[in-house]
Amino acid sequence: MISPRRFLDASSLATAFRALDARLAAPLTLVVGGGTAMMLAYGLPVRTTDVDAYPTSGRLDDLGPHVREVAREVGLAPDWLNPHFETFAHVLPPDYGARLREVFAGERLRVMALGVEDLLVMKCFAGREKDVGHARALLRRKPDLAVVERRIEELLERGVSGAADAADFLDDVRGEE
């Protein structure tokens, strides 16, 4: 039976990370973004039903059996760990690693949240209605907007799809602050 989608909170995330940690045979570092990062690293009151994550080495798909076991054990949807997030990581600044914040450390699993600037870049590229409130909340955390603007400009110059929309999104949410 598939568990119904439910909102995750800091406690359920910690439980899931501990259960995943217990199943790992080798060290693994996950980089998380989206609602998980906003909630765990910055204490923002967001609602999320999955964990946007990618491993710093290897492939998240290789963890599939463990992810499904954790889902069954703790009552999460089988795809609680979202493997599609990595496909959007190309918009991150090359130095995003310098801004990562540890949000979980187990025996083998380490979970690192994106920095505020990097989350804001990703929210600008996502550009969904729900991202407006998230972007505003991130702006209240006083990110270094030069990092965000520089990255979006670099991607605009390279002709990366969505960069013009991301720039407009940032202008719009900044104008509303």
Side-chain angles (χ1 to χ4, degrees), residues 83-105:
H84 306 294
F85 177 65
E86 186 171 17
T87 62
F88 302 101
H90 69 280
V91 303
L92 291 172
D95 66 343
Y96 78 92
R99 290 179 292 279
L100 291 173
R101 295 178 70 171
E102 186 175 86
V103 294
F104 178 84

Side-chain angles (χ1 to χ4, degrees), residues 67-158:
V67 170
R68 289 186 294 279
E69 288 171 9
V70 168
R72 279 190 298 277
E73 179 184 322
V74 302
L76 300 177
D79 61 347
W80 66 273
L81 200 56
N82 179 0
H84 306 294
F85 177 65
E86 186 171 17
T87 62
F88 302 101
H90 69 280
V91 303
L92 291 172
D95 66 343
Y96 78 92
R99 290 179 292 279
L100 291 173
R101 295 178 70 171
E102 186 175 86
V103 294
F104 178 84
E107 292 293 318
R108 287 169 287 290
L109 178 63
R110 187 171 181 217
V111 180
M112 306 294 289
L114 290 175
V116 174
E117 293 82 1
D118 309 303
L119 286 166
L120 186 54
V121 168
M122 293 195 88
K123 290 294 179 181
C124 289
F125 270 86
R128 301 164 298 192
E129 185 62 35
K130 74 177 189 175
D131 295 309
V132 172
H134 292 171
R136 287 182 190 142
L138 291 169
L139 285 169
R140 287 191 290 277
R141 293 285 186 238
K142 306 292 185 210
D144 182 348
L145 287 176
V147 170
V148 178
E149 292 166 344
R150 185 171 45 250
R151 182 57 177 167
I152 292 173
E153 184 62 35
E154 289 168 356
L155 296 172
L156 262 170
E157 289 172 6
R158 289 182 19 212

Side-chain angles (χ1 to χ4, degrees), residues 13-104:
L13 288 166
T15 299
F17 291 149
R18 279 193 302 276
L20 181 58
D21 179 56
R23 287 170 169 75
L24 296 176
L28 173 70
T29 299
L30 291 177
V31 174
V32 297
T36 300
M38 293 175 68
M39 183 187 323
L40 296 181
Y42 306 104
L44 295 169
V46 297
R47 292 166 48 129
T48 189
T49 58
D50 63 3
V51 175
D52 294 327
Y54 64 89
T56 57
S57 63
R59 296 172 356 113
L60 203 53
D61 290 340
D62 297 336
L63 297 175
H66 297 315
V67 170
R68 289 186 294 279
E69 288 171 9
V70 168
R72 279 190 298 277
E73 179 184 322
V74 302
L76 300 177
D79 61 347
W80 66 273
L81 200 56
N82 179 0
H84 306 294
F85 177 65
E86 186 171 17
T87 62
F88 302 101
H90 69 280
V91 303
L92 291 172
D95 66 343
Y96 78 92
R99 290 179 292 279
L100 291 173
R101 295 178 70 171
E102 186 175 86
V103 294
F104 178 84

